[in-house]
């Protein structure tokens, strides 16, 4: 059911922090299976065959299990063999496709079944597409086990590829350079054509209007051509184009000429930062930082683009307010230095709130826009290189040892390690991946402060009407469930001290009490089909003697 956790420094005082979490019933996976589909792209009209090979986790074939699933079509990042290239018009509308797999298929005595896939019909678009075949097997307890496989869809005609020769953002005042190629439906560079390229600067403004007593806005996008030209595309060479860019948002579009009807476009930013979020409303302020991460003592450079002059309130925050300053800024681009201090910890959020006062003569009401960016701090030598070595296989009812090595532990430094071993049937339920300590300790934190203002309660000084602000969110429903009926296997070693540089110690076997041994025996017997056979005290003593002997 639903639980609430409170942490107190003083039992009689208010909680320092509170969180809620939900405990739900679950059944660990008992089977695993692999999917196989012919390599290469899927062509229109194909009916590819996918094969399923299923086994129980203890090794036996998973026979007579029903198969269900679906095939979905979605946008892909690129085509195989052309990493880094973008194909098609990036702002082209697209609706994903869906097709369920016909019922009636089940695994044979060897745990194998082949299923024909039906590809959903899709509108002809220029962007790359891929299919995802998702299949589920239902084990004996009624629990579905799901696996997926992805394949590209071959284009219906020639496509133009655009590859930027810069990393994410083009430098301000530089030449933004691109490689251009053309490919055919067989995903080879077999196309020869002329093409026209156009580089445009994109500017977005917002027009406010009042309708039926309510204020609303609509964005207006204007494209200003910066440079253009004509190029030849052929299978033997990569065509190169470049043009000078200043600060701002840009779009490169390449259109084939002649009988080939296709085009591609690529949107990018120029400057030395990438905005944290796109400006989809006039209340969002474009801000960005000049580096991916910082070291304590240096100065970060925060760049912002103001749509109107005003005062910027700049805050540095984590779970508390670290620093604050107010800066007058003009309309357009401004850079503000932000000192990086030890109080930032693994990183901090930088927020900028742009406030414009009311201007009756110009017909402007008060306005504000907010931008937020995460600024990580380089952990340096605090990021330890931990390596775990375990045997490839172990025998049942035996003891497994694991070697732990910390490769970059400083001499005479003190460190502790723990080790956990968990039933793979539990981990497979959610596609669990091993925890990333670096991301946990040095990664981006949830913002620990609330930002509030009374902007939505302002009275319109020009018309005398109350202002309004729209907001919304989702609420997660909670439910309760009965406790699990099975004993789950999850072993955990206590903290073990590590000393010295390049220490390579062996973790001792996990010691179990009688109740834990009985739980493991019950779980193993149930997995082997011996339900109902009781575990006796003699069984526990025999296992404990085996452990002591090992």
């Amino acid at each position: 059911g639903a639980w609430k956790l409170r942490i107190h420094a003083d039992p009689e005082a208010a909680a320092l922090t509170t969180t809620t979490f939900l405990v739900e019933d679950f059944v660990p996976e008992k089977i695993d299976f692999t999917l196989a589909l012919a390599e290469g792209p899927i062509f229109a009209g194909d009916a590819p065959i996918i094969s399923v090979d299923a086994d129980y986790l203890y090794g036996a074939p998973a026979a007579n299990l029903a198969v269900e699933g679906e095939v979905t079509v979605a946008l892909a990042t690129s085509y195989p063999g052309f990493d880094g290239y973008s194909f098609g018009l990036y702002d082209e509308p697209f609706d994903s496709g869906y097709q369920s797999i016909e019922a009636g298929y089940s695994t044979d005595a060897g745990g194998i079944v082949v299923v024909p896939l039906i590809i959903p019909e899709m509108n002809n678009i220029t962007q790359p597409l891929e299919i995802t075949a998702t299949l589920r097997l239902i084990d004996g307890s009624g629990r579905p086990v799901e696996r997926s496989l992805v394949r590209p869809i071959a284009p219906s005609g020639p496509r133009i590829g655009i590859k930027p020769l810069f990393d994410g953002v083009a430098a301000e005042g530089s030449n933004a350079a691109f490689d251009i190629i053309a490919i055919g439906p067989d995903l080879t560079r077999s196309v020869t054509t002329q093409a026209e390229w156009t580089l445009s600067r994109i500017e977005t403004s917002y027009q406010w209007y009042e309708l039926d007593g309510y204020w609303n806005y609509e964005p207006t996008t204007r494209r200003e051509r910066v440079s253009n030209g004509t190029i030849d595309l052929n299978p033997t060479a990569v065509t190169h184009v470049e043009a000078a860019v200043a600060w701002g948002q840009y779009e490169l579009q390449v259109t084939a000429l002649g009988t080939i009807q296709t085009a591609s476009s690529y949107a990018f930013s120029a400057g030395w930062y990438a905005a944290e979020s796109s400006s989809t409303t006039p209340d969002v302020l474009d801000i960005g930082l000049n580096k991916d991460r910082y070291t304590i003592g240096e100065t970060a450079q925060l760049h912002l683009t103001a749509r109107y002059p005003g005062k910027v309130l700049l805050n540095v925050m984590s779970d508390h307010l670290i620093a604050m300053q107010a800066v007058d800024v003009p309309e357009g681009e401004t850079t503000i230095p932000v000192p990086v201090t030890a109080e930032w910890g693994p990183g901090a959020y930088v927020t900028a709130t742009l406030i414009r006062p009311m201007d009756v003569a110009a017909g402007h009401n008060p306005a504000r826009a907010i931008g937020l960016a995460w600024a990580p701090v380089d952990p340096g030598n605090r990021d330890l290189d931990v390596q775990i070595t375990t045997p490839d296989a172990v025998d049942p009812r035996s003891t497994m040892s694991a070697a732990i090595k910390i490769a970059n532990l400083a001499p005479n430094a003190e460190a502790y390690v723990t080790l956990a071993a968990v039933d793979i049937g539990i981990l497979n339920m959610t596609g669990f991946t091993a925890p990333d300590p670096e991301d946990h300790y040095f990664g981006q934190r949830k913002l620990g402060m609330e930002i509030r203002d009374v902007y939505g309660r302002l009275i319109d000084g020009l018309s005398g009407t109350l202002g309004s602000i729209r907001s919304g969110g989702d609420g997660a429903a909670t439910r309760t469930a009965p406790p699990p009926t099975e004993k789950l296997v999850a072993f955990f070693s206590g903290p073990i001290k590590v000393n010295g540089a390049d220490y390579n110690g062996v973790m001792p076997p996990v010691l179990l009490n009688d109740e834990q041994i009985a739980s493991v025996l019950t779980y193993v017997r149930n997995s082997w089909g011996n339900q109902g056979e009781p575990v006796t005290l003699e069984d526990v003593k025999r296992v404990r003697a085996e452990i002591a002997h090992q």
Side-chain angles (χ1 to χ4, degrees):
W3 292 73
K4 178 174 287 188
L5 173 67
R6 301 180 181 89
I7 297 180
H8 297 262
D10 181 353
E12 304 299 327
L16 299 178
T17 184
T18 302
T19 188
T20 58
F21 60 94
L22 188 65
V23 177
E24 295 185 350
D25 185 21
F26 69 92
V27 179
E29 290 187 358
K30 294 182 174 65
I31 61 174
D32 191 13
F33 65 92
T34 58
L35 301 177
L37 185 63
E39 294 294 334
I42 306 297
F43 291 87
D46 285 354
I49 301 297
I50 190 169
S51 64
V52 179
D53 188 355
D55 295 295
Y56 286 97
L57 290 178
Y58 59 83
N64 302 320
L65 299 183
V67 179
E68 61 181 37
E70 61 275 341
V71 177
T72 58
V73 176
L75 294 176
T77 56
S78 187
Y79 289 113
F82 299 98
D83 294 340
Y85 283 92
S86 295
F87 294 86
L89 301 172
Y90 72 90
D91 55 353
E92 190 174 25
F94 170 76
D95 293 324
S96 59
Y98 175 91
Q99 178 67 53
S100 60
I101 292 176
E102 184 179 351
Y105 293 95
S106 60
T107 58
D108 60 16
I112 297 175
V113 63
V114 293
V115 180
L117 301 179
I118 300 176
I119 309 302
E121 294 185 4
M122 302 297 300
N123 294 332
N124 185 25
I125 68 169
T126 59
Q127 297 184 72
L129 299 176
E130 64 185 12
I131 67 163
T132 300
T134 302
L135 276 70
R136 289 176 292 276
L137 297 184
I138 310 301
D139 66 19
S141 64
R143 190 203 190 287
V145 179
E146 182 177 284
R147 300 290 184 266
S148 296
L149 189 147
V150 179
R151 285 289 184 273
I153 297 179
S156 58
R159 294 290 184 263
I160 293 176
I162 303 174
K163 181 179 182 179
L165 301 181
F166 49 86
D167 186 13
V169 180
E172 181 183 12
S174 69
N175 283 349
F178 302 86
D179 284 342
I180 314 294
I181 61 172
I183 65 173
D186 58 353
L187 299 187
T188 64
R189 294 185 53 198
S190 56
V191 176
T192 300
T193 183
Q194 272 197 328
E196 180 183 20
W197 64 274
T198 302
L199 180 67
S200 304
R201 182 184 173 100
I202 301 176
E203 294 184 359
T204 303
S205 60
Y206 296 89
Q207 179 65 45
W208 288 90
Y209 62 91
E210 184 181 11
L211 181 64
D212 298 330
Y214 293 94
W215 282 95
N216 207 337
Y217 67 89
E218 61 180 14
T220 301
T221 301
R222 185 173 66 90
R223 286 172 168 81
E224 178 185 357
R225 186 172 63 186
V226 174
S227 184
N228 68 325
T230 303
I231 54 177
D232 293 318
L233 302 177
N234 60 74
T236 60
V238 174
T239 303
H240 183 82
V241 300
E242 62 180 60
V245 292
W247 189 281
Q249 303 293 320
Y250 289 85
E251 174 190 272
L252 174 68
Q253 179 162 322
V254 183
T255 304
L257 302 176
T259 59
I260 296 178
Q261 302 295 315
T262 188
S264 294
S265 59
Y266 182 81
F268 64 98
S269 299
W272 39 253
Y273 88 107
E276 290 292 316
S277 62
S278 59
S279 301
T280 56
T281 74
D283 287 336
V284 174
L285 179 64
D286 282 338
I287 70 172
L289 294 160
N290 64 320
K291 293 180 64 175
D292 293 333
R293 55 176 53 192
Y294 299 92
T295 57
I296 302 301
E298 69 175 313
T299 300
Q301 302 294 330
L302 179 78
H303 191 94
L304 60 88
T305 303
R307 299 189 187 95
Y308 42 78
K311 186 179 290 292
V312 166
L313 181 63
L314 191 145
N315 296 318
V316 180
M317 301 179 292
S318 56
D319 59 347
H320 64 285
L321 181 63
I322 297 174
M324 178 174 60
Q325 58 176 306
V327 181
D328 292 315
V329 299
E331 181 180 359
E333 300 157 8
T334 301
T335 301
I336 303 174
V338 184
V340 180
T341 65
E343 200 173 355
W344 284 35
Y349 284 93
V350 181
T351 66
T353 305
L354 173 63
I355 303 171
R356 181 189 68 187
M358 184 172 65
D359 188 340
V360 177
H364 293 161
N365 271 312
R368 71 101 167 86
I370 298 178
L372 179 145
W374 166 255
V377 173
D378 192 338
N381 58 9
R382 293 179 297 164
D383 183 12
L384 298 178
D385 181 13
V386 180
Q387 302 166 8
I388 303 175
T389 303
T390 60
D392 294 333
V394 292
D395 295 329
R397 297 175 297 279
S398 65
T399 300
M400 181 180 72
S401 296
I404 308 295
K405 181 178 181 180
I406 303 179
N408 62 337
L409 186 63
N412 301 319
E414 187 174 280
Y416 293 84
V417 297
T418 63
L419 185 68
V422 185
D423 184 349
I424 192 173
I426 298 175
L427 303 181
N428 285 347
M429 292 175 53
T430 58
F432 180 84
T433 56
D436 184 353
E438 180 182 2
D439 181 66
H440 177 80
Y441 289 104
F442 308 122
Q444 183 172 354
R445 261 83 165 144
K446 179 180 178 181
L447 179 59
M449 293 187 66
E450 292 183 347
I451 302 174
R452 300 185 181 187
D453 61 27
V454 294
Y455 181 69
R457 299 177 61 85
L458 290 178
I459 294 176
D460 187 339
L462 300 179
S463 63
T465 60
L466 190 67
S468 63
I469 186 168
R470 295 180 301 278
S471 63
D474 296 326
T478 60
R479 61 184 178 87
T480 59
T485 58
E486 301 181 357
K487 292 294 184 181
L488 308 176
V489 177
F491 298 142
F492 179 77
S493 72
I496 296 175
K497 187 175 181 179
V498 179
N499 288 300
D502 293 331
Y503 174 79
N504 192 357
V506 177
M507 298 194 62
V510 178
L511 300 180
L512 309 179
N513 58 35
D514 290 350
E515 182 181 357
Q516 290 171 322
I517 292 177
S519 297
V520 174
L521 285 177
T522 302
Y523 178 81
V524 171
R525 286 181 176 179
N526 289 342
S527 299
W528 288 352
N530 299 329
Q531 289 89 347
E533 183 178 339
V535 174
T536 66
L537 181 59
E538 293 301 319
D539 295 331
V540 174
K541 289 181 178 179
R542 184 170 63 255
V543 172
R544 181 166 296 286
E546 259 188 75
I547 293 176
H549 174 71
Q550 293 288 342

